[in-house]
Amino acid sequence: MAAVPVLVMPLKLWIERPGPLTAESGYYPSGHTATAMVAYCGAALLLAPRTGRAGRGWAMPVAVVLSAATGIGLVLRGYHWPLDVLGSWLLCGMLLALLVAALRRIDNRGAAGSGTDAP
């Protein structure tokens, strides 16, 4: 979650894109969409291994639906252009891919260090 403003705010300042309903700038990428996606999908990634097989089946689809609904709602209400939301989805997709890689590395270290594998 702390990485979202670190990634989003410099882009907003650099691009200075005006919003659909105002001449103010700083709407690309959507910080609300980015925060929602990282929160929902990040929680699903962290909870799925601890909820068993059933959790893996529903956690991520629910997170994706909630993230999509947040972005679409922001566009429909006129707070963001569709490209603002799409940019956030792509940016946070990369961030979540890094989280998945980090979690796999942690899991692999734990499995290697547990001594449960037979030689």
Side-chain angles (χ1 to χ4, degrees):
M1 291 299 295
V4 171
V6 171
L7 292 172
V8 170
M9 290 310 294
L11 286 171
K12 285 181 177 280
L13 294 172
W14 180 52
I15 295 171
E16 293 190 52
R17 178 185 175 135
L21 299 177
T22 180
E24 293 180 30
S25 64
Y27 283 81
Y28 179 88
S30 168
H32 292 99
T33 302
T35 302
M37 184 175 178
V38 169
Y40 294 137
C41 295
L45 288 170
L46 293 172
L47 290 175
R50 289 154 184 80
T51 57
R53 185 174 289 246
R56 285 185 217 113
W58 63 264
M60 190 54 72
V62 168
V64 168
V65 168
L66 289 172
S67 299
T70 300
I72 292 168
L74 289 166
V75 170
L76 292 176
R77 295 293 298 162
Y79 295 121
H80 283 285
W81 297 106
L83 189 59
D84 302 344
V85 171
L86 180 62
S88 290
W89 284 337
L90 294 173
L91 182 67
C92 291
M94 291 186 296
L95 183 63
L96 289 166
L98 291 172
L99 176 63
V100 168
L103 290 173
R104 284 186 181 152
R105 179 169 282 193
I106 290 169
D107 285 345
N108 288 341
R109 273 196 214 153
S114 67
T116 58
D117 293 339

